Amino acid sequence: MKILGIIPARGGSKGVPGKNVRQFDGKPLLAYAVEAARESSKISKLVVNTEDKEISEVAKNLKCEVIHRNHEMAADNSPVIDAVLQTLNFLKENNNEEYDAVLLLQPTAPLRTGSDIDAAVKLLKSNPEKDAVISMAKVEDHHPARMYSIKEESLICQMPEYETRNRQELPELYIRNGCIYLVRTSVLKKEKTLIPPKKLAYIMESKWSVNVDTEMDAILLNELLKKWKKQKR
């Protein structure tokens, strides 16, 4: 199975300015996605897709191929699928390269390893009837049974049958942790989504789930990295 690894890294973040090149424990955030990809034995090619000159320079310093996207595809509300499809089209038109599956590695969810990637690939290869593998983490404190909407000033529980249950009685639920999106290329092009209907979960430990979207997330990541690196040794 030929797998294309894509790291989508746009500039212009408002929540955490310059986050993809910001230093975390002595490395730019982008480097953690690159390192995980290189630890994997399953990725055929790795590219960084960006519109930002500084990110491009950091990627090149990390010895990564860079595919440039235009600024219209790098707005706050730009779907990442557009960057993925652009990358596939670029490689087909310019290098005549085609891949069986695409692995999206968001730099903002950095706590993954090459072993995680290899396990996700193995899961997809072992299940030819499925179209994707998405990394998940078990929902812990923020369970939907504890969530409410407000309608006409009234609180409405999202899972009323479990509203008063103890934590131990709540059903196990999972949330996307942003680390791995692995999708068959044919399905990705047809459905134009990284989350097709026929998908499998690759479960990861929830204690390492962090997405750097706010300054508080950046603080949390710096603390988690110290423990995460000890575990990796």
Side-chain angles (χ1 to χ4, degrees):
M1 179 179 280
K2 286 184 65 178
I3 296 175
L4 174 65
I6 301 177
I7 302 175
R10 69 179 186 88
S13 170
K14 293 181 175 63
V16 185
K19 63 184 176 183
N20 285 314
V21 296
R22 185 186 288 197
Q23 297 283 312
F24 290 88
D25 197 31
K27 298 176 187 176
L29 184 62
L30 183 68
Y32 292 95
V34 173
E35 289 176 356
R38 288 185 175 151
E39 288 172 2
S40 167
S41 62
K42 306 297 184 183
I43 297 177
S44 306
K45 181 169 187 162
L46 177 68
V47 300
V48 172
N49 181 295
T50 186
E51 90 299 350
D52 186 86
K53 289 183 179 179
E54 187 177 4
I55 293 174
S56 180
E57 287 304 311
V58 170
K60 288 175 182 177
N61 288 338
L62 293 167
K63 304 293 188 289
C64 271
E65 180 178 340
V66 175
I67 293 178
H68 295 278
R69 68 173 105 164
N70 58 41
H71 287 270
E72 289 74 21
M73 294 173 61
D76 288 342
N77 59 352
S78 296
V80 70
I81 185 65
D82 291 348
V84 171
L85 293 172
Q86 180 226 1
T87 300
L88 287 168
N89 291 335
F90 178 91
L91 292 173
K92 171 61 177 174
E93 292 171 6
N94 291 273
N95 302 347
N96 197 30
E97 295 177 12
E98 294 186 280
Y99 296 87
D100 300 305
V102 168
L103 172 70
L104 187 83
L105 299 172
Q106 297 186 119
T108 49
L111 301 186
R112 66 173 85 75
T113 66
S115 295
D116 289 319
I117 293 170
D118 289 350
V121 172
K122 182 179 179 181
L123 187 59
L124 185 64
K125 289 178 69 175
S126 301
N127 293 273
E129 76 284 0
K130 299 296 184 181
D131 296 326
V133 173
I134 299 172
S135 59
M136 297 276 175
K138 186 179 176 181
V139 174
E140 301 288 355
D141 295 336
H142 297 94
H143 195 281
R146 305 287 187 256
M147 294 181 181
Y148 294 78
S149 59
I150 299 176
K151 185 176 182 180
E152 297 177 355
E153 299 183 350
S154 295
L155 285 174
I156 301 172
C157 184
Q158 300 306 294
M159 296 180 71
E161 67 273 31
Y162 293 103
E163 186 173 16
T164 60
R165 299 285 187 90
N166 294 327
R167 177 176 58 84
Q168 295 83 355
E169 299 176 279
L170 299 179
E172 285 191 3
L173 294 175
Y174 296 84
I175 187 169
R176 301 196 309 268
N177 68 357
C179 287
I180 293 171
Y181 291 87
L182 178 64
V183 189
R184 297 188 193 277
T185 305
S186 58
V187 173
L188 192 150
K189 287 183 174 180
K190 180 182 178 182
E191 303 290 340
K192 293 181 171 50
T193 179
L194 292 158
I195 313 173
K198 294 191 290 184
K199 50 192 173 289
L200 293 165
Y202 174 66
I203 308 299
M204 299 176 68
E205 291 185 87
S206 57
K207 66 180 179 180
W208 304 125
S209 293
V210 58
N211 280 272
V212 185
D213 294 321
T214 67
E215 288 293 343
M216 186 59 70
D217 296 330
I219 294 169
L220 176 60
L221 175 57
N222 272 318
E223 291 303 311
L224 284 175
L225 273 170
K226 299 172 187 176
K227 299 177 181 179
W228 186 70
K229 286 186 174 182
K230 289 181 181 177
Q231 176 180 280
K232 283 185 67 180
R233 290 177 188 152

